[in-house]
Amino acid sequence: MLFDLTGRVAVVTGGSQGIGRGIALTLAEHGADVAIVARAPEAVAGGTERIHRPVDPVVQEIEAMGRRSLGVLADVRDSEQVQGMAAQVTGAFGRVDILVNNAGITVRKEPEALAANEWDRVLDVTLRAAFLASGAVYPPMKAQGGGKLIHI
């Protein structure tokens, strides 16, 4: 194995599908226990937003590898929900070693057609969420002597 993450706990935001799912499964393949964070599918308002897949299938895939996993429903743009996510993960696993800030969105439009509120949404999900999640897991990481923050 290229690297061994046995005994480590990883959190992957946007981990229910796409790149986040791939990252979560790879971390588990290398020994990590993994918390999957995503919004509830019914929380998506519609319009141009992509419906999120449930966290349960990825949790089950990770558990089938013999790793512990936890699905956490949270909107990573919301400070209270992100703090709750960190509390759930540390309550379940006792630590957080790796945070992968993967949640993100894009608006596929020509730049001149992009409205300011659409750009604000991109920044909220991509940057604000990374800031909030990093701040939420920092105290437990500091208390245990360190950890890794990865921003996608």
Side-chain angles (χ1 to χ4, degrees):
M1 199 174 342
L2 184 59
F3 53 94
D4 184 10
L5 297 174
T6 302
R8 303 286 188 214
V9 173
V11 177
V12 181
T13 67
S16 66
Q17 60 195 13
I19 293 169
R21 177 182 169 272
I23 291 168
L25 294 174
T26 300
L27 290 166
E29 286 171 1
H30 288 273
D33 296 325
V34 184
I36 307 299
V37 182
R39 285 192 297 166
E42 61 272 12
V44 176
T48 60
E49 285 190 279
R50 182 174 58 180
I51 301 298
H52 290 74
R53 293 191 182 140
V55 294
D56 296 336
V58 183
V59 167
Q60 292 166 2
E61 287 181 83
I62 291 168
E63 289 175 343
M65 294 180 199
R67 308 290 179 245
R68 295 181 301 155
S69 188
L70 173 69
V72 179
L73 299 179
D75 185 335
V76 292
R77 300 171 296 181
D78 182 287
S79 180
E80 287 182 21
Q81 291 186 42
V82 171
Q83 289 295 326
M85 171 275 297
Q88 269 187 274
V89 173
T90 55
F93 296 112
R95 60 186 300 120
V96 176
D97 298 289
I98 303 163
L99 168 66
V100 180
N101 281 307
N102 170 73
I105 63 168
T106 187
V107 178
R108 290 186 172 95
K109 288 185 175 181
E110 295 295 323
E112 66 272 9
L114 186 64
N117 67 331
E118 293 170 317
W119 178 242
D120 290 343
R121 258 186 53 235
V122 171
L123 292 177
D124 278 351
V125 176
T126 309
L127 295 177
R128 175 181 166 81
F131 169 76
L132 292 175
S134 297
V137 301
Y138 177 76
M141 283 183 173
K142 183 178 179 184
Q144 71 197 25
K148 302 293 182 201
L149 303 175
I150 302 168
H151 307 287
I152 305 296

